[in-house]
Amino acid sequence: MSLSQPLQFAYWVPNVSGGLVISQIEQRTRWDAEYNRKLAQIAEQAGFDYALTQIRFTAGYGADNQHESVTFSQDLLSHTSKLKVIAALLPGPWNPVLAAKQIATISHLYGPRIAVNIVSGWFRGEFKAIGEPWLDHEERYLRSEEFIRCLRGIWREESFSFAGDFYRFRDYVMKPKPLSPLPEIFQGGSSRAARDMAARVSDWYFTNGNTPDGVRLQVADIREKAGRHQHQVRIGLNGFVIARESEQQAQAVLHEIISKANPDAVKGFQHEVKNAGSASPEGEGNWAKSSFEDLVQYNDGFKTNLIGTPQQIAERIIELKQAGVDLLLLAFLHFHEEVEFFGREVIPRVRELEAKALIEA
């Protein structure tokens, strides 16, 4: 995305219990439908562009209750008018034809506001619990890439055929197709395999929280690889926001979150994600260099350092945009109040800084 384009904002939908930190700190965030419907409306009014629903099939690390992502996404669409909702899909439990049909139908019900996030999987215990085979790291991304190719082929082609290692189609015709523009396809991951896949097939690449310098390296790698495939991919970055009237107040909240972390749950999460990432040839995955403190927030959101006053956060967001970020995927402690505050106090400052940067350029 050109630097002249406004940076976009998304938020994690808390359709899974426990909030977005593995901590005993009070969180005025609920996972039920009523809370999330109101949150979607608050976010839409606040200036958010996207909401991302999570997919979990089993309990763990505070996520004792989970609503299914596609159904929940459809409900949020029914209570909003502009917000785009990204439904997380996990190849294995889903196959491409079911996903293609579900998403096409939702597109006709609510317009082209539905998107998908293809999750390759990191929780081995979850796969075992539901009777799905646990593939090695490279195979998980190979399957996800085939999944994306099939989704896009079914949506675009009149008669779709495909012969891969995981999926096969022969002259498959699906009607109706989704409304135009076709649903955007997101994916996550920070490993080499994830970046390679994004460079070939995805519209958007989500990466875990990082510094501007760290993001810049990832962006350069993806753009160079995407150029070889005549492909363009936009970049989304995870961040956990603690916006307060003073930096001291914000840092105090961060300290309390970490000091009240559930150590057994964080270490269990750390074990699972390290196991998933170590299977890659380079021995790295999303959380390869994450400390205990980083892992208190599931996706390294503290690393992005969106912690401070609204002005400090807005300035850091501009630095991330200049590093190549097109979208920020954000989590909060108390979603209703803090999403509203972010929309009122931070987003206008970001827009002012974007306008100033254009004038100075």
Side-chain angles (χ1 to χ4, degrees), residues 114 216 236 249 332:
I114 184 70
R216 198 171 283 110
Q249 289 174 327
F332 302 84

Side-chain angles (χ1 to χ4, degrees), residues 230-247:
Q230 291 78 55
H231 182 63
Q232 289 186 329
V233 58
R234 287 172 285 177
I235 308 298
L237 176 69
N238 187 72
F240 191 89
V241 176
I242 306 176
R244 298 295 186 269
E245 296 295 341
S246 73
E247 185 176 13

Side-chain angles (χ1 to χ4, degrees), residues 56 58-61 121-128 134 140 265-279 287 295:
R56 289 286 294 275
T58 60
Y61 321 117
W122 57 266
F123 192 179
R124 183 174 186 172
E126 183 173 59
F127 277 71
K128 181 179 179 181
W134 177 248
R140 293 199 299 276
V266 175
K267 289 175 183 176
F269 175 64
Q270 183 176 43
H271 173 77
E272 288 288 346
V273 297
K274 298 288 186 182
N275 172 66
S278 64
W287 298 271
L295 292 171

Side-chain angles (χ1 to χ4, degrees), residues 14-18 29-33 35-36 65-67 72:
N15 60 303
V16 170
S17 64
T29 291
R30 303 202 315 264
W31 57 278
D32 60 274
Y35 181 92
N36 274 285
N65 298 281
Q66 318 93 29
H67 285 300
F72 212 77

